[in-house]
Amino acid sequence: MAVLSLKEGKAKKGMSRRKVTDALWGYLCVSPLAIGLLLFLAAPLFFSIYVSLTKYDLFNAPIFVGLKWYAQIFSADGKEFWNSIKNAFVMVIGTLLSMILALLTANVLCTNVKGKNVFKAIFFVPTICSSVATTIMWTRMYDYYFGTVNQILNVFGLEKVYWLDEGHVVGSIIFMTVLFGFGTAMLLYISSIKSIPKSYYEAADLDGANAVQKFFYITVPSVSPITFYILVTGLIGCLQGFTVFQVMTNGSPANTMMPVLLIYKYSGNDYGSEYGLASAMAIVLGLIIAILTGINFLLSRKWVYYES
Amino acid sequence: MKEKVADIRRSRPKKKVRANQVIGKIISYAFLVAIALLILIPFLQLILNSLKGPREVETDVFWPTEWYWSNYAAVFKETVMLHSFLNTFMYIIPPVIVGTFMSAVCAYGFARLKFPGKKIIFGAMMATLVIPNIIIMVPAYVMFANFYQWLGTPLPVVVPGMFGGTVCMFFMLQYIRTLPEDMEEAAMLDGLSRGGVFINIVFPLMIPAFVAQVILNFSGAYNDYLTPLLYLGNSTNLFTVQLAINQMNSAYSVETQKLLAACVIALAPTIVLFLCAQKTFTEGITLTGIK
């Protein structure tokens, strides 16, 4: 009896020593990322709140101005900012279109067509290309005098078009971003369609359903979690859009002025280095995005865990 | 007689189905080829224009009459491109390799070790995913400029990434959870410390996930434009590839055909990487879903 309890005690002691060293190793393992997040995420986050309450140009000491910038954003002077948000929401049309294109291509690529992998590669490659380079490439495509788009119109005897003027630029950018961005959504759809049980389709076949019916009654409802996920991340992506707009139009015509581009400009020399205002705008934009991300995170949790 | 009727009944819909299938196939291929052409034509015109002469590039001739392969040599000789390439690789290799390793280390901590506050730390890390980079952009610039005194150096684009990333860590965590634990237990009984277990047993098993993340992070970092623009945008000698081609584009300092040649060069690394590691990219996208 006594011997037994002694043994148990020893084992417990061993366990607890292991527990302590394990805990130490645990903190050691986790600390690099934790420190990185504290230094380069948490610290700037809190600092950003402080800067947004001051007038600050980087060189002179910040002057505390309270909620002045927020008041400005939410007053008539904030029109510029809300316009840019509106412009970003217009780009959501592109998200919808690329979602539809992604679903259609994914659906076709899940049937037994030849050259599946080649098509998949072609559709996906633009999404891993440098957006600066692809934007320059498309700017050239849209060029009034030498652009390929106008050359093609010419072949069909149609008039040349200024693709980057105020009336056309939004459509031109949406066309480009849909075509060069739907590849990611396509891959998500392909993996989702592949996980639909074959028996559903076989049952539909027995009932005499045609391909269109099968698409709308089986495929579309089955991939709806992915659809929702793509919509929300697409919306967030639209609100964070920057490179394409900065490289292609740099914010003029005014309907291509995006929130991040505006924030970038306010922290530059041209707009008077108003770091306070830029920070306040960033925080308002960030809150909008954070709320959308939060909703997405909660609702897509199911899907994320199922996949992994 | 009965059999015949049944035969006709069976064969009729079959024929219809077959005809429908053929039409469906034709539509499918037409659709795929049309989309593929819409994607390939811009690439084709970029390559063709990059090989035109200085006069011809300013005309609407589609196919070059004379091929100027020298444009590519000129890009390396006359512009900051080569220098920018070296810069880019110097900036992104440390954060990609070290950062991915740190993410793996952190993931190991969460997957295998018990310590007080683990759940809270993990929750806090996952919560940072909600914070959009936009909020950090301006204050981080101010901090790098005034507190760290890092402006004019590449440190703002190198150092933060070296601590690892939350998305990458989460991916690694999912991977470690699929590995069997008994080998680690056995090694611990043989007297190996936790650090030894990670280096000698767990990390070698994680190599596939590590390589996949390195490839994905590399292509992400290589294509990143906003971060280097913010922190290095004022000093040409610190330029990355993305900044270099954008400057050639906006300043009209370089002839069009050379700018376009520079774009082809800038596009090459990630496309080559994709062709070599196609599976990694497609699987990485479907696993992490994003980013």
Side-chain angles (χ1 to χ4, degrees), chain B residues 58-207:
Chain B
E58 308 293 346
T59 63
D60 56 4
V61 179
F62 188 72
W63 206 262
T65 47
E66 220 179 312
W67 301 80
Y68 279 69
W69 294 97
S70 58
N71 288 342
Y72 283 82
V75 168
F76 286 113
K77 265 186 226 151
E78 295 165 19
T79 70
V80 289
M81 200 64 182
L82 185 62
H83 187 67
S84 308
F85 252 110
L86 297 177
N87 279 346
T88 310
F89 288 115
M90 256 163 43
Y91 300 165
I92 66 182
I93 286 171
V96 166
I97 303 282
V98 179
T100 310
F101 182 76
M102 287 304 175
S103 306
V105 169
C106 182
Y108 174 73
F110 281 128
R112 293 287 196 256
L113 300 167
K114 280 184 186 149
F115 50 93
K118 180 166 134 176
K119 271 195 174 158
I120 296 170
I121 298 173
F122 184 74
M125 280 186 182
M126 295 316 282
T128 61
L129 291 178
V130 178
I131 303 167
N133 274 329
I134 311 319
I135 305 190
I136 314 303
M137 198 171 92
V138 180
Y141 180 81
V142 177
M143 284 177 65
F144 288 139
N146 282 358
F147 299 142
Y148 297 101
Q149 303 284 339
W150 278 356
L151 286 197
T153 72
L155 292 175
V157 294
V158 178
V159 176
M162 291 175 69
F163 290 84
T166 313
V167 176
C168 183
M169 184 276 287
F170 189 66
F171 178 87
M172 299 291 199
L173 181 61
Q174 301 291 353
Y175 193 84
I176 296 182
R177 282 183 179 155
T178 64
L179 301 176
E181 218 176 333
D182 33 342
M183 260 221 304
E184 295 163 46
E185 291 293 332
M188 301 252 312
L189 287 179
D190 287 348
L192 214 58
S193 72
R194 280 291 183 180
V197 168
F198 178 75
I199 295 296
N200 294 312
I201 296 168
V202 181
F203 190 69
L205 291 173
M206 285 178 75
I207 291 290

Side-chain angles (χ1 to χ4, degrees), chain A residues 27 56 114 130 140 146 246, chain B residues 29 57-58 116 146 225 242:
Chain A
Y27 289 122
Y56 188 37
K114 274 177 193 147
S130 134
R140 174 78 195 186
F146 327 118
Q246 205 252 359
Chain B
Y29 281 116
V57 77
E58 308 293 346
N146 282 358
Y225 173 61
Q242 312 303 327

Side-chain angles (χ1 to χ4, degrees), chain B residues 30-48:
Chain B
F31 173 68
L32 292 178
V33 170
I35 303 290
L37 278 180
L38 284 177
I39 289 172
L40 291 175
I41 287 173
F43 283 100
L44 180 67
Q45 66 93 33
L46 178 77
I47 294 168
L48 290 178

Side-chain angles (χ1 to χ4, degrees), chain A residues 89-256:
Chain A
F89 273 102
V90 172
M91 289 294 153
V92 175
I93 299 170
T95 306
L96 292 173
L97 291 175
S98 72
M99 191 193 83
I100 294 169
L101 186 59
L103 183 53
L104 288 176
T105 45
N107 196 48
V108 174
L109 288 174
C110 282
T111 61
N112 53 339
V113 286
K114 274 177 193 147
K116 227 182 267 185
N117 288 331
V118 178
F119 283 118
K120 212 156 77 172
I122 293 174
F123 298 159
F124 182 67
V125 154
T127 65
I128 50 127
C129 282
S130 134
S131 19
V132 181
T134 52
T135 308
I136 294 173
M137 176 162 122
W138 276 94
T139 313
R140 174 78 195 186
M141 284 289 286
Y142 287 138
D143 191 279
Y144 179 76
Y145 300 101
F146 327 118
T148 310
V149 180
N150 276 346
Q151 282 175 28
I152 293 169
L153 289 187
N154 204 25
V155 170
F156 293 102
L158 295 166
E159 289 271 309
K160 282 184 175 183
V161 174
Y162 284 101
W163 292 107
L164 298 181
D165 70 2
E166 199 170 353
H168 296 95
V169 69
V170 173
S172 303
I173 290 179
I174 287 178
F175 184 77
M176 162 196 158
T177 47
V178 167
L179 208 51
F180 270 43
F182 80 96
T184 314
M186 177 195 71
L187 288 185
L188 292 175
Y189 273 134
I190 287 178
S191 78
S192 171
I193 290 175
K194 275 187 181 159
S195 68
I196 301 173
K198 282 233 166 65
S199 55
Y200 290 9
Y201 291 104
E202 284 159 9
D205 279 337
L206 285 179
D207 289 344
N210 61 32
V212 178
Q213 283 168 328
K214 278 188 275 184
F215 176 70
F216 281 108
Y217 290 107
I218 300 174
T219 314
V220 172
S222 305
V223 298
S224 59
I226 304 278
T227 303
F228 172 77
Y229 177 81
I230 292 169
L231 280 182
V232 181
T233 48
L235 177 59
I236 293 163
C238 286
L239 284 167
Q240 304 206 40
F242 175 78
T243 308
V244 170
F245 304 93
Q246 205 252 359
V247 174
M248 197 177 255
T249 69
N250 203 11
S252 79
N255 54 1
T256 59

